[in-house]
Amino acid sequence: MDRVKVGVIGVGSMGKNHVRSYAALKHVCELIGLYDINQSRSRNMAKSYGIHSFSSTQEILKEVDAVNIATPTTTHFDIALEAIQAGKHLLIEKPITNIIEEANQILKEAKKKSLIVQVGHIERFNPAVKALPEMLKEERIIAIDIQRMGPYDPRIDDTDVIQDLMIHDIDVVSSLIQGDIAEMNALARKVTSKKHMDFAVANYRTEDDIIVTLTASRSTNKKVRKMSITTEKSFIELDYIGRKITRTRRGNGSSNKNKQREYEESYENEEEPLKMQLIDFVNSIQNGTKPLITGYDGLEALKLTKLIQDKVYID
């Protein structure tokens, strides 16, 4: 198969990064052009990359094999269905949609046409996160605690912190542990936003008795992206930003029963996660294989997000 022809729909804060990354991946795909409802922004960006600025979704879909949807979440459903009807593979920024029924329909229609649907849960392409499954193979997990916090961003005014930030870690946890949720509670509150929750904590226990705590904030004056995993043998700390894992283990042998050994692994020099995500998407199309994060993974993350939102009570 020739290089996959890709187009980007939506070139706002996230979409422009997709354009930049596709443009740097000329060896694996061909970035044909982009479309944005803001035609001035679309033309300016297209000019800077030497690609075409399309005037409608219909136009761009005629010229590509696959599209990258990075528009507001409320528009994902209509654009995705239009692309599927045109026979195009999809990479949809997270969350896949706002509504579970819409996500189900996207996946149903894509399956009919054997089209790839990948959802942009980018943290799973963080090289430190990618190293965790192998590290946990011989471990029995007791608890997972994740903090994703940072300052308020006025650009994000259409959703709460659970769907905006916590969903990243919902997806990561779902990739690490299986099993249904036995019990859950969640709390949240508004801080800066007038309509949406800015700080949220969710606690749940799986049927395998793993305790998960997720904290998300967009009202914290420091950017924090950390995970800790307690197992029967180890304590594992992951720094999302530094792409680093520190593992503290009990020593082996009777003479070392009370001793601890600490290991540190750094992945900071590996490829940018966004580029890894796009390469995975293109390779899936070329090889007819399943992407790392499928549309069904995106649907499961959305379901758990909605479950947490339903548990939240605000005075």
Side-chain angles (χ1 to χ4, degrees):
M1 183 179 180
D2 294 333
R3 285 188 303 162
V4 174
K5 296 179 180 179
V6 180
V8 177
I9 299 176
V11 290
S13 59
M14 194 61 199
K16 66 182 180 184
N17 291 322
H18 284 266
V19 172
R20 170 183 58 78
S21 297
Y22 279 121
L25 297 174
K26 292 183 174 66
H27 57 296
V28 296
C29 64
E30 182 181 359
L31 178 60
I32 298 297
L34 51 89
Y35 165 74
D36 193 279
I37 194 169
N38 183 327
Q39 284 287 284
S40 176
R41 178 166 59 192
S42 179
R43 286 191 294 269
N44 289 337
M45 186 168 294
K47 184 177 180 181
S48 66
Y49 284 97
I51 56 178
H52 193 73
S53 172
F54 292 92
S55 60
S56 68
T57 53
Q58 293 90 341
E59 281 192 9
I60 194 170
L61 289 171
K62 290 177 184 177
E63 305 297 330
V64 299
D65 304 309
V67 287
N68 193 121
I69 300 173
T71 56
T73 307
T74 53
T75 67
H76 286 184
F77 178 66
D78 289 338
I79 296 172
L81 282 191
E82 183 182 5
I84 290 167
Q85 292 307 313
K88 311 304 176 182
H89 302 284
L90 300 172
L91 194 162
I92 308 173
E93 256 309 307
K94 67 83 189 168
I96 182 170
T97 60
N98 269 329
I99 301 170
I100 291 170
E101 291 75 18
E102 290 183 346
N104 274 318
Q105 189 171 345
I106 288 172
L107 299 179
K108 179 181 177 182
E109 296 302 321
K111 185 177 181 180
K112 288 179 183 177
K113 296 200 171 190
S114 300
L115 296 171
I116 298 290
V117 178
Q118 180 171 336
V119 182
H121 288 284
I122 194 170
E123 286 292 18
R124 275 218 260 151
F125 290 91
N126 184 314
V129 174
K130 289 186 77 173
L132 280 177
E134 183 66 29
M135 188 175 291
L136 292 169
K137 263 187 178 179
E138 304 300 322
E139 298 277 6
R140 186 169 179 179
I141 299 173
I142 296 170
I144 300 176
D145 189 336
I146 307 182
Q147 296 179 319
R148 180 173 298 271
M149 305 187 291
Y152 179 70
D153 185 347
R155 292 182 301 108
I156 311 298
D157 63 356
D158 62 343
T159 190
D160 61 39
V161 73
I162 300 168
Q163 191 161 302
D164 177 26
L165 296 182
M166 190 181 284
I167 194 170
H168 285 290
D169 303 306
I170 289 169
D171 173 69
V172 170
V173 171
S174 296
S175 74
L176 297 175
I177 61 175
Q178 307 301 315
D180 294 332
I181 294 173
E183 58 181 315
M184 170 186 284
N185 61 75
L187 295 168
R189 59 166 292 184
K190 300 172 188 174
V191 181
T192 307
S193 302
K194 293 182 179 179
K195 296 186 294 182
H196 300 293
M197 299 166 286
D198 297 309
F199 192 100
V201 180
N203 291 96
Y204 63 90
R205 179 177 62 83
T206 69
E207 290 186 340
D208 295 329
D209 214 25
I210 298 171
I211 297 171
V212 178
T213 303
L214 304 176
T215 303
S217 170
R218 50 190 186 196
S219 298
T220 304
N221 292 323
K222 179 182 178 180
K223 190 173 182 180
V224 177
R225 302 283 190 273
K226 293 186 181 295
M227 174 196 299
S228 65
I229 304 175
T230 301
T231 77
E232 292 184 347
K233 298 177 182 177
S234 307
F235 181 64
I236 299 166
E237 298 169 278
L238 185 146
D239 179 352
Y240 284 100
I241 298 171
R243 301 184 195 174
K244 182 175 70 175
I245 296 176
T246 304
R247 185 178 192 180
T248 305
R249 303 193 70 181
R250 278 188 245 157
N252 295 321
S254 57
S255 62
N256 291 325
K257 271 185 180 178
N258 297 319
K259 291 184 180 180
Q260 293 180 331
R261 295 180 180 178
E262 190 170 280
Y263 309 85
E264 184 177 293
E265 296 184 41
S266 180
Y267 306 86
E268 58 187 339
N269 294 322
E270 297 195 21
E271 186 63 271
E272 178 187 4
L274 180 55
K275 289 182 182 177
M276 293 172 69
Q277 175 182 272
L278 303 188
I279 290 170
D280 182 63
F281 177 51
V282 172
N283 285 344
S284 295
I285 296 169
Q286 290 180 319
N287 302 323
T289 54
K290 187 170 75 170
L292 178 64
I293 304 163
T294 66
Y296 295 97
D297 293 324
L299 172 60
E300 289 307 307
L302 180 63
K303 286 179 178 178
L304 186 46
T305 297
K306 296 300 183 185
L307 182 60
I308 293 171
Q309 287 174 324
D310 289 343
K311 290 285 183 179
V312 166
Y313 174 79
I314 302 177
D315 292 330

